[in-house]
Amino acid sequence: SQKIEQNSEALNIQEGKTATLTCNYTNYSPAYLQWYRQDPGRGPVFLLLIRENEKEKRKERLKVTFDTTLKQSLFHITASQPADSATYLCALDGGYGQNFVFGPGTRLSVLP
Amino acid sequence: NAGVTQTPKFQVLKTGQSMTLQCAQDMNHEYMSWYRQDPGMGLRLIHYSVGAGITDQGEVPNGYNVSRSTTEDFPLRLLSAAPSQTSVYFCASSYWGRGNMNTEAFFGQGTRLTVV
């Protein structure tokens, strides 16, 4: 069956360290994968999109990798700050002309 | 430019009541969708639309109806509310790109619905 998993429900790290979040999928062949941030009581906000032919994408302190062989995406936040504390969702397209499918999310807490 | 606007933000219904959650976007996006978000289950697609007059079912459509008479509006109707429909509902819109590739989604602020 098709499944999207994110490495853990919650992740605590110390301020200044690099946070690494994992998104694994099975039985999908996505053309691209996206990462979103969600704060409590708010809707998800788009962060980054990476296509299947791209290995890595960067935006300021954020970096995303996409390995279609491992069926995995890694999301890194370098020099993390307490303001980075939020839930991070990965989403992939279910195939050509298909809808987004979201992972369950990882709740990141950056401790001062 | 308001983005995606959902109303109401909170709602309490009694079992068996019906209601409509409103969603409007001002970005001229072709694609609009409704998700529900439950603890530990992520966002699950209820219904979606790729343009005015076109709607289709998502992963969990039972108990919900939608219509898309204009590009801007995509209301979600609960026909006869049940406690299992207690959830947070999000409307989203996105550009339905070349080759029918869906792009980044813009979400509304959500509606927290409780059915008692």
Side-chain angles (χ1 to χ4, degrees), chain B residues 15-48:
Chain B
T15 297
Q17 286 185 317
S18 62
M19 78 159 295
T20 300
L21 307 184
Q22 301 292 343
C23 176
Q25 54 95 5
D26 61 1
M27 296 171 283
N28 203 31
H29 285 161
E30 301 92 339
Y31 186 94
M32 296 187 73
S33 53
W34 277 100
Y35 291 88
R36 59 178 290 174
Q37 188 173 39
D38 302 291
M41 302 194 71
L43 288 158
R44 292 184 293 167
L45 183 66
I46 304 171
H47 285 285
Y48 66 97

Side-chain angles (χ1 to χ4, degrees), chain B residues 46-79:
Chain B
I46 304 171
H47 285 285
Y48 66 97
S49 168
V50 299
I54 305 169
T55 63
D56 209 343
Q57 297 180 350
E59 181 186 355
V60 288
N62 292 341
Y64 308 95
N65 270 357
V66 292
S67 60
R68 184 94 180 269
S69 56
T70 66
T71 299
E72 294 78 20
D73 300 299
F74 191 45
L76 177 73
R77 297 183 190 84
L78 278 71
L79 309 173

Side-chain angles (χ1 to χ4, degrees), chain A:
Chain A
S1 63
Q2 295 178 315
K3 191 187 296 186
I4 304 175
E5 295 175 308
Q6 294 191 238
N7 55 329
S8 57
E9 191 172 325
L11 180 66
N12 296 329
I13 65 164
Q14 216 53 45
E15 182 177 6
K17 301 292 187 184
T18 296
T20 299
L21 284 63
T22 305
C23 177
N24 295 292
Y25 58 92
T26 54
N27 293 322
Y28 285 105
S29 297
Y32 58 91
L33 190 145
Q34 304 179 36
W35 284 88
Y36 289 79
R37 169 183 173 140
Q38 186 175 22
D39 291 290
R42 309 293 294 269
V45 174
F46 171 79
L47 295 175
L48 279 168
L49 179 151
I50 184 166
R51 301 187 187 280
E52 60 178 339
N53 60 351
E54 298 174 319
K55 296 295 185 188
E56 182 180 297
K57 204 87 171 273
R58 291 177 185 261
K59 180 182 176 182
E60 298 172 351
R61 294 184 295 109
L62 309 179
K63 184 178 85 171
V64 173
T65 63
F66 191 11
D67 189 325
T68 56
T69 302
L70 292 178
K71 298 188 182 297
Q72 179 181 82
S73 174
L74 299 179
F75 177 79
H76 306 273
I77 306 175
T78 59
S80 59
Q81 305 165 0
D84 295 325
S85 298
T87 295
Y88 291 87
L89 308 171
C90 68
L92 51 83
D93 70 295
Y96 177 80
Q98 298 300 310
N99 301 287
F100 296 121
V101 182
F102 283 85
T106 295
R107 188 173 66 252
L108 174 68
S109 297
V110 181
L111 308 173

